[in-house]
């Protein structure tokens, strides 16, 4: 697929402040990527830049990471080894403040070797600048914990699964994770292929001793079963949606479990929207990418999903869960009639003009209870047609999920790209938001077409836009990244000249 490249022109005159760093000078290896790191409260923590140092032998290779703080100061770096299946890593910060490097790209030909195994994540302790493979845990059917430092090969795993299925008629499946509330949570069930049963949610203390067990779907089969979707958890409670299915009949309840005892605090039926809407309320996807569609506040949890009527997408649904009363409020905002007066030629299924439709790109949950929805007009690739995008649409709602206003950002048609939307971030402690997109426009003076970067703020419900010229020149590629609040990070790269610099620029809003 064709890629569009960026180069910022004249930004030093446009922005009021700048901090820079040369990625090429920070390590001896080849820079293979960089990503932003966020803490548990979604605040920018810093950045991790990854470098490949090549093979060390027939089975291993070496990488190096460099950690930068949010002002681009390098604070730590270290080399480590990994198997040949990994091609790159993405970093994130866990609840302990450790930085986890998760394999994100793979050398797939290596997967065919007989001893190929699932690669493990690496754990960085930023206090000591030590790095080691992540320790995983397995919970066995006999009730014991197993510590895993080296996963089994894909071949051995398949062999064991086939043998277990032949012997028992099912595969016992479990997953275990350490939680910030202390101890571990495990999920287990028996997998028969076309259905599962004997599901349990199990809590363990720090010593891996079982504290409680919540069981459901005990005798599930293909037609009659139940499943549990965990929405959120805190020090005291686990919140989820329990679905019960009896052939075509589907019912739902809000399940609240005491984190310390495993007892039900609530199991109230919930309704008001279609079964498809409620079941998929925690999932919102666009172009195969999962959108962050929920936010937890002190007193509530808010989720945004699609609203399905007769199994067809008809707009959006908002679920608001009161963490004190255990009540659920569902609201719907359909393309018709809610948005008909704001978006020309909008159909009931989100279609607009000439085969384009509204593709959701992001959702923003502001502290006053309002929700912002950003969509882009998108036309999928056809047998003889390239994928295309045009205008962006920002839907601004009030705290009751009613449309306050709709802002349409007219944009030139882009071909061979799935989106011109870039990224966003909250401002002013979650009260406001800024989002960024690009557009290929004709310069009013030179009449030449060039890329522009659009910086859009929504502060106190009011829109403001700043346009920065960007283009392609001298084989340089500049990619925008999210920066600390009030800033944007720009990466300027030229492989031939080994030029690879990043800089923070202050936004004017």
């Amino acid at each position: 697929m064709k890629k569009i490249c960026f180069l910022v022109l004249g930004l030093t005159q446009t922005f009021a402040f700048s901090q820079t760093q040369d990625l090429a000078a920070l390590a001896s290896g080849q820079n293979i990527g960089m990503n932003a790191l966020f803490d548990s409260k979604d605040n920018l923590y810093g950045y991790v830049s990854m470098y490949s140092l090549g093979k060390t032998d027939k089975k291993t290779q070496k990488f190096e990471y460099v950690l930068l703080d949010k002002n681009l100061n390098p604070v730590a770096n270290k080399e480590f080894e990994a198997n040949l299946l990994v091609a790159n890593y993405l970093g994130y910060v866990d609840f302990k403040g450790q930085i986890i490097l998760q394999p994100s790209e793979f050398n797939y030909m290596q997967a065919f070797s007989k001893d190929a195994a699932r690669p493990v994540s690496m754990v960085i302790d930023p206090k000591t600048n030590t790095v080691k493979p992540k320790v995983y845990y397995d919970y066995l059917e006999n009730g014991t914990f197993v510590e895993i430092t080296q996963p089994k090969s894909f071949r051995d795993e398949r062999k064991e699964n086939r043998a277990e299925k032949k012997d028992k008629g099912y595969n016992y499946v479990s997953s275990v994770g350490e939680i910030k509330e202390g101890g571990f949570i495990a999920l287990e069930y028996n997998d028969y292929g076309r259905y599962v049963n004997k599901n349990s949610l199990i809590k363990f203390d720090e010593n891996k001793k079982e504290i409680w067990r919540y069981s459901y779907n005990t005798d599930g089969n293909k037609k009659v079963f139940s499943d549990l979707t965990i929405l959120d958890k805190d020090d005291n409670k686990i919140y989820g949606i329990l679905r019960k299915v009896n052939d075509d009949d589907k019912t739902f309840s809000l399940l609240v479990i005491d984190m310390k005892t495993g007892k039900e605090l609530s199991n109230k039926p919930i309704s008001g929207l279609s079964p498809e809407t409620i079941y998929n309320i925690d999932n919102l996807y666009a172009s195969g990418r999962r959108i962050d569609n929920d936010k937890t506040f002190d007193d509530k949890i808010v989720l945004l999903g699609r609203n399905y009527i007769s199994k067809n997408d008809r707009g959006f649904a908002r679920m608001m869960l009161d963490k004190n009363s255990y009540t659920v409020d569902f609201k719907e905002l359909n393309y018709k009639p809610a948005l008909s007066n704001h978006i020309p030629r909008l159909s009931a299924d989100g279609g607009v003009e000439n085969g384009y439709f509204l593709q959701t790109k992001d959702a923003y949950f502001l502290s006053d209870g309002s929700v912002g929805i950003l969509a882009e007009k998108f036309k999928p690739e056809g047998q003889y047609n390239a994928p295309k995008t045009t205008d962006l649409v920002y839907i601004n709602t009030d705290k009751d999920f009613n449309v306050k206003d709709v802002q349409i950002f007219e944009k030139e048609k882009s071909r061979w790209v799935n989106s011109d939307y870039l990224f966003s971030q909250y401002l002013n402690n979650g009260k406001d938001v800024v989002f960024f997109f690009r557009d290929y426009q004709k310069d009013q003076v030179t009449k030449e077409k060039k890329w522009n970067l659009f910086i859009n703020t929504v502060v106190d419900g009011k829109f403001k836009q700043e346009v920065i010229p960007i283009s392609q020149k001298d084989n340089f590629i500049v990619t925008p990244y999210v920066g600390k609040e009030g800033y944007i990070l720009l990466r300027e790269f030229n492989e031939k000249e080994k030029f690879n610099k990043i800089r923070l620029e202050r936004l004017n809003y």
Side-chain angles (χ1 to χ4, degrees):
M1 184 171 289
K2 184 178 179 182
K3 291 186 177 180
I4 306 298
C5 302
F6 295 105
L7 181 71
V8 176
L9 300 176
L11 281 172
T12 53
Q13 286 78 32
T14 305
F15 292 107
F17 180 81
S18 178
Q19 292 167 281
T20 63
Q21 187 60 252
D22 186 355
L23 292 180
L26 294 178
S28 58
Q30 177 189 1
N31 181 255
I32 53 176
M34 183 189 77
N35 74 272
L37 302 169
F38 297 87
D39 64 19
S40 58
K41 295 183 179 180
D42 292 329
N43 297 315
L44 184 68
Y45 175 95
Y47 302 89
V48 58
S49 184
M50 294 301 306
Y51 300 83
S52 172
L53 280 71
K55 291 183 180 180
T56 54
D57 56 41
K58 291 183 179 180
K59 293 186 177 181
T60 59
Q61 59 181 321
K62 189 173 286 188
F63 292 92
E64 183 175 357
Y65 65 82
V66 177
L67 301 180
L68 301 99
D69 66 17
K70 59 185 179 182
N71 295 312
L72 306 189
N73 300 307
V75 294
N77 68 292
K78 200 87 169 184
E79 296 179 3
F80 64 92
E81 290 189 341
N83 69 33
L84 297 179
L85 186 56
V86 186
N88 205 348
Y89 291 86
L90 276 176
Y92 68 90
V93 182
D94 72 3
F95 66 88
K96 292 181 176 181
Q98 302 174 133
I99 297 165
I100 311 299
L101 299 180
Q102 188 174 41
S104 62
E105 297 176 19
F106 303 93
N107 300 308
Y108 287 103
M109 291 303 297
Q110 296 294 327
F112 295 101
S113 63
K114 65 178 182 180
D115 57 350
R118 186 173 290 105
V120 300
S121 297
M122 305 299 293
V123 181
I124 302 169
D125 184 342
K127 296 178 182 178
T128 60
N129 192 30
T130 55
V131 58
K132 59 184 179 180
K134 182 177 174 64
V135 175
Y136 296 85
Y137 297 95
D138 199 3
Y139 182 70
L140 305 182
E141 197 169 7
N142 61 12
T144 59
F145 262 87
V146 175
E147 192 174 283
I148 301 172
T149 55
Q150 178 56 53
K152 298 172 185 175
S153 69
F154 297 130
R155 179 179 293 186
D156 289 344
E157 208 172 88
R158 288 193 297 267
K159 186 177 179 180
E160 288 184 12
N161 286 341
R162 285 195 295 265
E164 182 187 37
K165 184 73 175 290
K166 184 177 180 180
D167 180 46
K168 299 177 181 178
Y170 64 85
N171 287 122
Y172 174 78
V173 179
S174 70
S175 61
V176 182
E178 192 173 4
I179 57 174
K180 64 181 180 181
E181 294 77 17
F184 301 81
I185 286 282
L187 295 168
E188 68 169 7
Y189 57 88
N190 293 341
D191 184 0
Y192 289 84
R194 298 184 67 183
Y195 65 94
V196 303
N197 61 25
K198 289 184 169 54
N199 297 62
S200 290
L201 181 67
I202 315 165
K203 172 76 186 302
F204 302 88
D205 64 15
E206 289 82 354
N207 299 314
K208 306 178 184 68
K209 179 182 177 182
E210 184 176 321
I211 299 175
W212 54 257
R213 175 183 295 255
Y214 184 86
S215 298
Y216 60 98
N217 192 39
T218 306
D219 300 312
N221 57 55
K222 285 183 285 187
K223 291 189 175 182
V224 182
F225 61 90
S226 59
D227 51 38
L228 176 63
T229 300
I230 302 295
L231 300 179
D232 197 20
K233 59 181 177 59
D234 56 35
D235 289 339
N236 301 309
K237 302 164 189 175
I238 298 173
Y239 306 87
I241 295 178
L242 184 66
R243 179 179 71 150
K244 294 184 178 180
V245 177
N246 188 342
D247 208 355
D248 290 332
D249 184 34
K250 301 176 181 67
T251 59
F252 300 83
S253 61
L254 174 67
L255 181 65
V256 184
I257 300 173
D258 189 296
M259 177 65 84
K260 296 178 175 60
T261 67
K263 294 181 180 179
E264 283 188 6
L265 298 175
S266 180
N267 196 343
K268 296 179 181 179
I270 54 176
S271 60
L273 295 175
S274 69
E276 291 79 17
T277 299
I278 299 175
Y279 180 62
N280 292 288
I281 196 69
D282 68 319
N283 292 315
L284 188 60
Y285 285 86
S287 297
R289 181 183 68 88
R290 192 176 192 277
I291 296 171
D292 187 5
N293 70 321
D294 68 311
K295 192 171 180 66
T296 299
F297 299 88
D298 291 338
D299 60 340
K300 60 183 177 288
I301 303 167
V302 186
L303 297 99
L304 179 75
R306 302 203 182 281
N307 191 35
Y308 295 96
I309 300 175
S310 300
K311 300 183 179 181
N312 295 311
D313 174 21
R314 289 295 181 256
F316 304 97
R318 187 202 69 179
M319 174 181 172
M320 185 175 288
L321 189 166
D322 189 302
K323 296 171 70 174
N324 298 314
S325 64
Y326 310 143
T327 55
V328 171
D329 177 53
F330 282 116
K331 301 287 187 186
E332 56 184 338
L333 192 163
N334 293 325
Y335 302 121
K336 281 194 166 184
L339 296 170
S340 299
N341 293 331
H342 301 278
I343 304 172
R345 298 180 292 280
L346 182 64
S347 65
D349 61 356
V352 282
E353 66 279 350
N354 301 322
Y356 287 80
F357 68 94
L358 290 182
Q359 184 178 76
T360 309
K361 304 310 299 182
D362 218 333
Y364 313 110
F365 304 89
L366 305 181
S367 56
D368 64 356
S370 63
V371 178
I373 304 169
L374 184 66
E376 188 171 16
K377 295 180 181 179
F378 174 70
K379 188 173 184 177
E381 182 177 2
Q383 186 176 0
Y384 303 106
N385 300 307
K388 305 177 185 70
T389 65
T390 59
D391 306 341
L392 272 85
V393 178
Y394 187 93
I395 303 164
N396 194 20
T397 77
D398 62 18
K399 60 183 180 59
D400 296 315
F401 206 50
N402 297 313
V403 177
K404 286 173 60 179
D405 54 68
V406 175
Q407 187 81 14
I408 297 178
F409 300 95
E410 294 185 356
K411 190 170 60 62
E412 296 293 328
K413 184 186 299 182
S414 293
R415 291 178 172 84
W416 294 110
V417 291
N418 289 325
S419 180
D420 282 327
Y421 169 63
L422 298 171
F423 50 81
S424 64
Q425 66 183 129
Y426 288 104
L427 301 173
N428 305 321
N429 296 317
K431 289 175 54 182
D432 308 304
V433 71
V434 56
F435 60 91
F436 303 80
F437 69 87
R438 62 185 181 178
D439 190 18
Y440 195 53
Q441 297 181 321
K442 182 181 288 187
D443 187 279
Q444 296 301 315
V445 177
T446 66
K447 305 301 180 182
E448 294 180 1
K449 276 201 163 187
K450 295 182 179 180
W451 285 97
N452 286 326
L453 175 67
F454 287 74
I455 303 167
N456 313 275
T457 54
V458 186
V459 177
D460 293 330
K462 298 178 181 178
F463 289 91
K464 182 180 177 182
Q465 186 178 82
E466 184 178 4
V467 184
I468 305 299
I470 59 176
S471 192
Q472 183 179 5
K473 182 181 178 182
D474 298 333
N475 296 316
F476 279 87
I477 300 170
V478 169
T479 306
Y481 287 78
V482 64
K484 63 184 180 179
E485 185 170 325
Y487 291 78
I488 186 172
L489 184 146
L490 302 164
R491 180 186 177 202
E492 198 169 9
F493 176 72
N494 184 318
E495 184 177 12
K496 185 177 180 180
E497 298 180 18
K498 299 189 181 300
F499 186 90
N500 193 357
K501 289 189 177 182
I502 53 176
R503 66 178 181 271
L504 283 172
E505 306 283 6
R506 190 192 297 276
L507 304 177
N508 296 321
Y509 69 90

